[in-house]
Amino acid sequence: MVLTVKEQREQMMSELRKGICEVTFTKVNGDKRVASATLSTNHVPEQPNTATYSDGQPKTRKVNEETVVFWDMNKEGFRSFRVDSVVAFERLTGEGVKDGQPQPSQDD
């Protein structure tokens, strides 16, 4: 069964929320990039929403169903990739695991 781009995106987002993933993708300029990516609250610093309209209402962005925004562990900032540009995607750490701490055993 072939997943839609939206389904692939949701699957990747779910894995990124669980821990750190190695994502290999092709950038728009054709370069290949390997990123240590996450959306885990253990690793992403809290981000205040400071963008507001002149009337004080918070600004929001429409979600692009073809891209994934992630926290880049090496560059320490948010980056993004297009779902259809992903060459490889692998989760490296388990849910709730912080860098430098042992991962739970698969036998538990």
Side-chain angles (χ1 to χ4, degrees):
M1 178 179 161
V2 178
L3 299 177
T4 66
V5 170
K6 184 177 180 178
E7 291 168 332
Q8 291 174 31
R9 180 181 183 272
E10 287 306 313
Q11 203 170 54
M12 289 178 197
M13 297 281 288
S14 175
E15 290 297 303
L16 288 166
R17 287 184 194 105
K18 292 176 185 175
I20 299 170
C21 301
E22 182 177 271
V23 184
T24 304
F25 60 95
T26 305
K27 294 172 41 173
V28 174
N29 68 4
D31 291 348
K32 189 173 280 186
R33 167 121 149 67
V34 178
S36 293
T38 191
L39 289 174
S40 168
T41 56
N42 289 335
H43 299 288
V44 178
E46 196 167 320
Q47 304 291 314
N49 184 2
T50 58
T52 58
Y53 291 106
S54 58
D55 64 1
Q57 294 295 317
K59 289 185 179 180
T60 58
R61 297 179 88 178
K62 182 180 175 190
V63 174
N64 182 340
E65 298 289 339
E66 298 176 354
T67 63
V68 172
V69 175
F70 65 93
W71 180 260
D72 188 312
M73 297 294 292
N74 297 323
K75 296 187 183 272
E76 296 185 354
F78 284 102
R79 301 293 189 267
S80 65
F81 59 83
R82 295 184 53 82
V83 173
D84 61 3
S85 73
V86 175
V87 176
F89 189 99
E90 177 184 9
R91 186 155 45 94
L92 303 176
T93 65
E95 189 165 341
V97 176
K98 290 192 174 202
D99 289 338
Q101 295 182 355
Q103 292 191 27
S105 170
Q106 295 294 327
D107 300 329
D108 292 344

